[in-house]
Amino acid sequence: MSRQSRAAALFTHPLLWTALLIAVLPFVAGANPFAGQGGFVDIATTMIIFGLFASGFNLLFGHVGELSFGHAMFFTLGAYVTALYTKGFNVQVLGLTLQHGAAGNMVIALVLSLIFALLWAWLLARIIVPRSSGIYFSMITLAFAQVIFFITYRWNELTGGEDGMQSIARPQIFGIEWMNSSAHFYWFAAAVVFVTLCVLYWIINSPFGSVLHAIRENKQRARFLGYDVDKFRVNAFVLSAAFPAVAGWLWTYFQQAINPDAGSIEYSGNVVMMSLLGGSQTFLGPILGAALYHELQNGVSQATKYWEAWIGVVFVVFVLIGPRGIMGLIDDVRHYGIANAVRRLFSRRARVQTDLVEELPPLDEPVASEVSR
Amino acid sequence: MEATTREANGGPFRTYSEGAAIHLPGIDALTDQLVNGITLGMLYILVALGLNIILGLMGVINFSHGSFFMLGAYLTYQLNGAFKNIPGGFWWAILAAAVIVGLLGMAFESLLIRPLYKRIPEYTLLLTFGTALIFAQLVRKWWGDDAVRVDTPSYIPQSANVFGLQLPFYKDILLVIVTIVILTLVWLLLNKTNIGVIIKAGTRDAEMVKILGINMPLMFTLVFGIGSLMAGLAGALAAPVYAIQPNWASQWIVLTFAIVIVGGIGSFWGAIVGGLVIGIAQSLMALLFPPAVEVTAFLVMGIILLVRPRGLFGVEGLFE
């Protein structure tokens, strides 16, 4: 590799841009230069936490080509486990008393969140993944997410029901309440998000990630190469649950409160939208998408009470004309120039060509043999 | 706190008092809930069958199906007020609401879904998710956040005596009869008419049917219209039973997914059995352990998936 191309590779490295984005966000998020208003740290925190959530979801959506419509269940699991660990609980289950006092160790909270989310993901993956794919998979994940949602919504004694839990303490480092300031918490979250995203980047670019891409492009061919496709899909599903759980852990500490909304269909759908908005087949896409989504939400919700309708409009437009998202557009501009990139945006053929998954006839269906018979 | 009736409490799923413990029901309560479950099941069947027909023929998951259901209910509310002075205005309102929703479905298909046929099916799910957000907000804007109710006309008796049981007349008798009539009509449409034959053939192999000279895009639009009409009709029929709220769409659509998965994608009898099973399971759970009512449908779905991955009446390899 020549020196120039190595410099170019460094310059376009997704992690560099992720770091830049994270560094800039608190100064620009929700900013309104015309009113002389700077950025809001709290909006930036939301953006990066959802960026992590969406990136984890996208490991499955963009890199394996499976649309899970229930990833909020892992987010809400991580969030609730953290909240319960921090605040303590005392419930009766089938005559047994479960109780736990309040505790403040954030590392233990993180480990517990991960354990619960990964166990649930593993259990689900064993049930769902070998049995379904495609839209069937989406429907089933959505339905199972409702199980978690209704548990958080209805189990009043444990979760506080519809109101959720409030006044959850932020973690202390060496006994100092350093994180109680919004700006301090942002940099803490930023560090966690960046490190976790580095792990994700490593996973995607590992041999394991390459097999996932092979499965996305053609499941049958990957199977012929000797890969146990279902095993890889199960592993990808479980791995992609870990990132929302970490995001949920951060979310509880950030909000210092938690309610069942965190596991609702809207949250699951919103991360799909963030991935689409940014570009689901790229590493940077979901992070960028999460930032754009919240920027948009912040802007529109100030203008109208019915802002969700406008989110819906953006959803529809992006599905119809730009499923490769902002990163896809940037890619096109780099390859074809601005004029041609815009032309491609409205060309149906280009859209079909660049769909997530190529539509090849599944080989396990007897296409030719039936005719010859 | 006493257990309250479904009607008084708003949504269809709040049948219980808070924090109730497991208790064994008496035989009266059991029959009551069984009847309740069948009524609920009838509505589930109508909604799920509409979704299933669309899914079976077109491979399109319509997330906005729940919105069409909700629109059917709100339109009935609106039209019932407008048709107050017409004889039989209540029934005209239900019919008109269903037809309007059906037409809306056809327009929806030809404008938004049609550009996506050549693309992967996940996109239709995402697109209809987006439109469901839009519908929910439009409903909030026009009819407000508060629940609205539709009263049955005074000539419909409050209750009737069937086999020694005193049952609410509209909810438990009329609704069941009307649903059975509609299901019979749909069965006849699917099995005894040319359109039905084309739909069923198209489910197997849309391309081949196209080669035979059938205008498939028109057929798709028609089928989408029929499916939406059924959702609208279910909403219209449900309007007098439950308090109508903007969150109906999201509540019902996921349940409908569970029913379709339990019954099997693309299966007429699957939707019927799935709807009844979930409806009855939910009602019995309301008796046994109230806080778990909403989860019941998904637990049933999980068990069915373990035993029969394609649902009770499903076919292997459809839409994957």
Side-chain angles (χ1 to χ4, degrees), chain A residues 60 64 66 121-134 137 208 211-212 214-216 218-239 364, chain B residues 309-310 316 320:
Chain A
L60 207 58
V64 191
E66 295 285 12
W122 181 76
L123 197 73
L124 274 192
R126 293 297 298 268
I127 299 177
I128 301 174
V129 170
R131 289 178 168 80
S132 64
S133 62
F137 179 85
F208 174 76
V211 178
L212 295 187
I215 292 171
R216 176 186 71 196
N218 192 328
K219 221 180 267 182
Q220 205 63 32
R221 226 170 267 172
R223 199 170 287 144
F224 287 160
L225 288 173
Y227 293 110
D228 186 344
V229 168
D230 278 350
K231 203 170 117 193
F232 275 92
R233 288 170 67 222
V234 167
N235 290 346
F237 188 86
V238 175
L239 272 176
D364 46 6
Chain B
R310 300 284 173 276
E316 181 117 14
E320 290 190 21

Side-chain angles (χ1 to χ4, degrees), chain A residues 81-82 85-87 100-113 169-173 249 253:
Chain A
V81 168
T82 307
Y85 170 77
T86 312
K87 286 209 78 170
H100 162 74
N105 191 327
M106 62 174 179
V107 179
I108 295 181
L110 175 63
V111 171
L112 285 174
S113 299
R170 280 192 185 159
Q172 300 182 346
I173 298 177
W249 173 73
Y253 284 142

Side-chain angles (χ1 to χ4, degrees), chain A residues 16 78 309:
Chain A
L16 176 77

Side-chain angles (χ1 to χ4, degrees), chain A residues 309-354:
Chain A
W310 293 103
I311 300 282
V313 170
V314 176
F315 219 114
V316 171
V317 168
F318 261 79
V319 171
L320 282 178
I321 70 164
R324 288 173 70 230
I326 304 288
M327 292 303 289
L329 194 62
I330 292 175
D331 245 23
D332 278 358
V333 170
R334 279 175 59 195
H335 281 110
Y336 307 106
I338 293 177
N340 280 328
V342 172
R343 206 168 296 145
R344 275 175 73 84
L345 212 54
F346 296 97
S347 135
R348 193 165 159 179
R349 176 174 295 182
R351 278 205 300 278
V352 175
Q353 274 171 359
T354 53

Side-chain angles (χ1 to χ4, degrees), chain B residues 45-290:
Chain B
I45 290 171
L46 283 180
V47 185
L49 193 57
L51 188 77
N52 221 350
I53 289 176
I54 296 174
L55 192 55
L57 179 68
M58 304 158 68
V60 165
I61 294 199
N62 183 12
F63 206 100
S64 291
H65 202 69
S67 312
F68 290 149
F69 171 78
M70 176 178 68
L71 278 177
Y74 272 104
L75 284 173
T76 308
Y77 164 74
Q78 192 76 36
L79 294 173
N80 191 35
F83 294 173
K84 214 180 292 170
N85 299 321
I86 305 172
F90 174 70
W91 299 105
W92 288 116
I94 288 184
L95 198 65
V99 170
I100 292 173
V101 173
L103 291 175
L104 181 74
M106 289 169 85
F108 184 81
E109 193 272 348
S110 40
L111 284 177
L112 291 173
I113 310 265
R114 197 172 281 178
L116 290 175
Y117 283 138
K118 285 267 157 74
R119 319 264 299 275
I120 58 173
E122 277 88 345
Y123 283 146
T124 52
L125 178 63
L126 295 174
L127 179 111
T128 50
F129 179 78
T131 50
L133 290 179
I134 300 173
F135 281 129
Q137 298 309 312
L138 288 180
V139 163
R140 276 184 66 205
K141 196 167 161 58
W142 283 331
W143 287 290
D145 283 328
D146 296 330
V148 298
R149 337 187 94 264
V150 174
D151 293 322
T152 47
S154 51
Y155 55 80
I156 296 180
Q158 279 299 311
S159 62
N161 201 322
V162 183
F163 306 128
L165 284 169
Q166 199 69 23
L167 297 174
F169 186 73
Y170 177 83
K171 180 166 89 83
D172 285 342
I173 298 170
L174 212 52
L175 190 63
V176 175
I177 294 171
V178 170
T179 309
I180 291 174
V181 170
I182 295 167
L183 290 179
T184 315
L185 289 177
V186 173
W187 189 85
L188 288 175
L189 176 79
L190 286 177
N191 290 290
K192 300 290 172 197
T193 64
N194 264 343
I195 292 179
V197 171
I198 294 169
I199 290 174
K200 284 170 83 176
T203 313
R204 290 282 169 81
D205 192 340
E207 201 137 329
M208 197 55 108
V209 176
K210 203 191 283 170
I211 292 168
L212 290 174
I214 308 289
N215 185 349
M216 276 318 266
L218 187 72
M219 226 54 217
F220 281 173
T221 309
L222 194 67
V223 166
F224 205 93
I226 294 172
S228 312
L229 185 125
M230 292 185 71
L233 195 57
L237 288 171
V241 185
Y242 309 113
I244 310 161
Q245 289 170 325
N247 66 356
W248 265 28
S250 54
Q251 273 188 348
W252 280 73
I253 187 61
V254 195
L255 258 175
T256 312
F257 282 1
I259 294 161
V260 166
I261 292 168
V262 165
I265 288 179
S267 160
F268 179 83
W269 296 106
I272 292 178
V273 174
L276 275 178
V277 165
I278 302 267
I280 291 172
Q282 276 190 335
S283 294
L284 292 184
M285 193 57 104
L287 213 55
L288 208 63
F289 186 55

